[in-house]
Amino acid sequence: MSRNVKFVYTNSLLNYHFHENHPFNQQRVLLAKELLEESDALASNDMVMPRSATEEEIALFHDVRYIDAVKNSSKASLDNLVKFGLGTEDTPVFPNMHEASMQVVGATLTAVESVLLDGFDGAVNFGGGLHHGYKNKASGFCVYNDAAIAINYIRKVFGLKVLYIDTDAHHGDGVQWAFYEDPNVCTFSIHETGRYLFPGTGNVTERGIKAGHGFSFNLPIDAFTQDDSFIDVYSIALQEIADYFQPDIIVTQNGADAHFYDPLSHLCGSMEIYEAIPKVALEIANRYCNGKWIALGGGGYDIWRVVPRAWAQLWHVMKYGDTAKGPLPLNWVQKWQVEAPVTIPATWKDDKGIIPEIPRKAEITEKNYHTLLNLLKYTKVKRD
Ligand SMILES: [Zn+2]
C-alpha cells in the first residue's frame, strides 16, 4: 500500500549552479530521481512540475533591497555584492541567479500546495532546503531561503502550526532566526557542534525570544558522532519536541552531509541514519499532523555515494512507509559510474566496515546524551 505523495521536479532546478568546482551540485537531485525511477518507485504520475515563485512571495521573508541585489547581481560591483553576502567564495554570483533561485522557491511552494491545496499526504522538493539564507543576506550556498518563505506562506495562507525539523550536518540558522520570535513555528536542528563548523551557531541555549521563547530547539552533537548515538538522540528529542509543540504540519530539511563520506562535515554516519531520519519524521507526521509532511533537500556533498541513496530512501519512506532493501538497480549504477570519480555503492546499505573505529566513541555518545538531557529540560515546560 502506498500513500498519496508528490515528487516535485523539473530539470530547471539544476540551473541553481554556482560553477563547476563548487561543492553544491544539484546534479544530485537528478541522480536521486533517476535512482527512484530505475527502482520502479517513482512513476510519472507521482511527479509534479513546479511553478516559479513571485517576487511578492520571495518578499514573505526577504528584504526587497536584497531581492534587488540578487536580481542585479551580474552587473553589480563586488562591494555592493559582498554586503548582501554575494560574490563570496561560498556564494558566488552565477548567471540568472535570481531566476534559478526563484525556481527553487517555487518548487517548495508547489510542494506546500500539493499537500495543503490538493490534499496529498506529503511532497518532496529535493532542490530546496536552502536553510542558511538570511532576510537580507546570502550565506553558505543559499540565496533565497525557500524553507523560511514556505513556512511564512503556510502561516499566512493556512494558519497552521509548523514544526521545522533540520537534520543537515550544519545548523539551520537562517530558518531558526526567521522564526525566533514566533510561537507558532517551532524549529529543531540537530547538527555537528558549531565549535569547528560553519555557521558556528546552534547552541542548546538558543531557545527563541519574546513570544517565541521556548520554540527553538538545538541539539549540537560532537564531531565523529556515529549512527547509534545520532539516531538515539534525534529520535528521542524529536518525539519530545513534537509532543510539546503539537504541530499541524512538519517541514523537514534533509541535508545529507552527516555521512562519513561527506567532505564538508566531521560526522561519521552511514546510510543507517538516512533510513532512520524519515521513519521518525513519518511517525510524527502521522501522530500529530494527519500525515502532512513537506520534505526538502539541503546540504550533501558526496553526490555519488551518499545523497542519491539518502533522498531516495526518504521518498521510499514517505510513499511506502519503509526503506528500499537489497541491491541498487544496475542500470543506474552503470550509467553514472562512467562520470563518477569514486566507486558507486552497489546496495542501499553501506558495506560494514567503511567507517573506521572511532576511539572516542563512548565519550562522544556520553556527551551527546548529556546535550540531549539539556534540551529535554525545555520540553517539560507545558504552557497554556
Ligand atoms: Zn550542511
Side-chain angles (χ1 to χ4, degrees), residues 131-132 168-170 257 299-301:
H131 63 165
H132 297 306
D168 193 284
H170 302 88
D257 46 6
Y301 307 98

Side-chain angles (χ1 to χ4, degrees), residues 230-278:
F230 186 111
I231 294 168
D232 201 33
V233 295
Y234 159 75
S235 316
I236 296 172
L238 181 52
Q239 280 165 10
E240 292 289 324
I241 291 165
D243 188 54
Y244 163 82
F245 181 65
Q246 308 271 325
D248 299 319
I249 185 166
I250 61 170
V251 175
T252 62
Q253 194 275 14
N254 299 280
D257 46 6
H259 193 285
F260 173 68
Y261 285 148
D262 194 276
L264 296 197
S265 84
H266 315 98
L267 298 175
C268 289
S270 79
M271 287 309 298
E272 292 283 325
I273 65 173
Y274 296 110
E275 296 188 3
I277 286 170

Side-chain angles (χ1 to χ4, degrees), residues 275-351:
E275 296 188 3
I277 286 170
K279 285 182 185 168
V280 182
L282 178 62
E283 211 179 297
I284 300 297
N286 282 337
R287 191 175 325 143
Y288 299 96
C289 311
N290 201 15
K292 290 192 284 296
W293 174 15
I294 313 291
L296 309 174
Y301 307 98
D302 191 315
I303 71 160
W304 306 104
R305 293 179 295 185
V306 178
V307 186
R309 286 187 299 165
W311 288 351
Q313 288 291 32
L314 183 145
W315 171 259
H316 259 273
V317 172
M318 187 185 259
K319 185 166 169 67
Y320 303 106
D322 202 358
T323 49
K325 313 261 183 322
L328 298 182
L330 198 57
N331 281 347
W332 181 85
V333 176
Q334 283 173 341
K335 172 177 175 184
W336 293 105
Q337 190 59 68
V338 178
E339 277 187 50
V342 289
T343 303
I344 297 180
T347 54
W348 286 97
K349 286 194 183 290
D350 284 319
D351 280 343

Side-chain angles (χ1 to χ4, degrees), residues 103-142:
Q103 179 64 89
V104 171
V105 175
T108 297
L109 295 177
T110 301
V112 170
E113 288 167 350
S114 296
V115 174
L116 293 177
L117 290 180
D118 303 333
F120 288 90
D121 297 321
V124 304
N125 169 27
F126 291 130
L130 303 181
H131 63 165
H132 297 306
Y134 280 54
K135 194 179 167 64
N136 51 12
K137 210 172 171 352
S139 174
F141 318 156
C142 303

Side-chain angles (χ1 to χ4, degrees), residues 18-47:
F18 295 102
H19 56 74
E20 280 312 311
N21 301 316
H22 195 284
F24 190 93
N25 184 345
Q26 292 291 57
Q27 194 179 352
R28 61 212 175 121
V29 184
L30 176 66
L31 284 158
K33 170 189 160 274
E34 292 197 358
L35 174 55
L36 286 164
E37 286 172 333
E38 286 290 345
S39 313
D40 291 325
L42 181 63
S44 55
N45 61 2
D46 292 324
M47 309 242 281

